[in-house]
Amino acid sequence: MRLKQVHVTNYRSVVDSGLVNVDDICCFVGKNDSGKTSFLMAVELLNPATGDRQIDIVRDYPAWLLSEGEKAMEAGEPPDVVTATYQLSDNERTDFENLFGVGALTTTKPEVRVRCELNR
């Protein structure tokens, strides 16, 4: 499984990273306190090997947008924090279906989108 694109929104100091393409070599450059570490922390949430880390609205949502995020949570629509597009090989697609059942993947495209939401 290969990470192809990442989009981080409303996570710590990152309000909207825009769509970031990921290739074999990827470099983040920016001034101090521009959100590089926050972006990478959000991307780390996609990796289940790092443990079961919950995204906390008070700790992780930008403070100046907190009331907006809380309203979305109360409405039962938790905001997305990070979305990613992965490219699966044929073998990985078969392994996924063997593990979760045929039809668990909702697309036949080689790319699959994954998203992380805020939790209370």
Side-chain angles (χ1 to χ4, degrees), residues 1-7 19-20 46 82-97 100 103-116:
M1 185 164 57
R2 183 181 196 93
L3 181 63
K4 300 300 282 182
Q5 295 178 326
V6 178
H7 186 199
L19 195 59
V20 176
L46 296 166
V82 58
T83 57
T85 303
Y86 291 93
Q87 186 170 22
L88 301 177
S89 69
D90 290 339
N91 288 341
E92 290 166 331
R93 182 172 292 282
T94 301
D95 290 344
F96 189 93
E97 289 181 343
F100 296 105
L105 290 173
T106 58
T107 179
T108 57
K109 295 179 183 177
E111 296 182 346
V112 176
R113 291 191 64 121
V114 175
R115 65 188 181 108
C116 293

Side-chain angles (χ1 to χ4, degrees), residues 2 28 39 42 56 99:
R2 183 181 196 93
F28 295 100
F39 178 87
D56 182 82
L99 188 60

Side-chain angles (χ1 to χ4, degrees), residues 52-64:
D52 185 24
R53 184 170 178 293
Q54 298 276 324
I55 304 168
D56 182 82
I57 191 163
V58 174
R59 181 191 62 222
D60 297 325
Y61 210 72
W64 60 282

Side-chain angles (χ1 to χ4, degrees), residues 14-102:
V14 179
V15 175
D16 188 346
S17 69
L19 195 59
V20 176
N21 292 316
V22 179
D23 208 345
D24 290 341
I25 298 174
C26 192
C27 179
F28 295 100
V29 178
K31 295 180 181 180
N32 291 344
D33 293 327
S34 62
K36 298 180 301 292
T37 300
S38 293
F39 178 87
L40 291 173
M41 288 173 70
V43 171
E44 183 182 28
L45 295 168
L46 296 166
N47 183 358
T50 61
D52 185 24
R53 184 170 178 293
Q54 298 276 324
I55 304 168
D56 182 82
I57 191 163
V58 174
R59 181 191 62 222
D60 297 325
Y61 210 72
W64 60 282
L65 293 172
L66 187 56
S67 63
E68 211 176 278
E70 287 175 329
K71 286 178 188 173
M73 296 288 288
E74 288 170 8
E77 300 172 4
D80 290 343
V81 171
V82 58
T83 57
T85 303
Y86 291 93
Q87 186 170 22
L88 301 177
S89 69
D90 290 339
N91 288 341
E92 290 166 331
R93 182 172 292 282
T94 301
D95 290 344
F96 189 93
E97 289 181 343
N98 288 338
L99 188 60
F100 296 105
V102 176

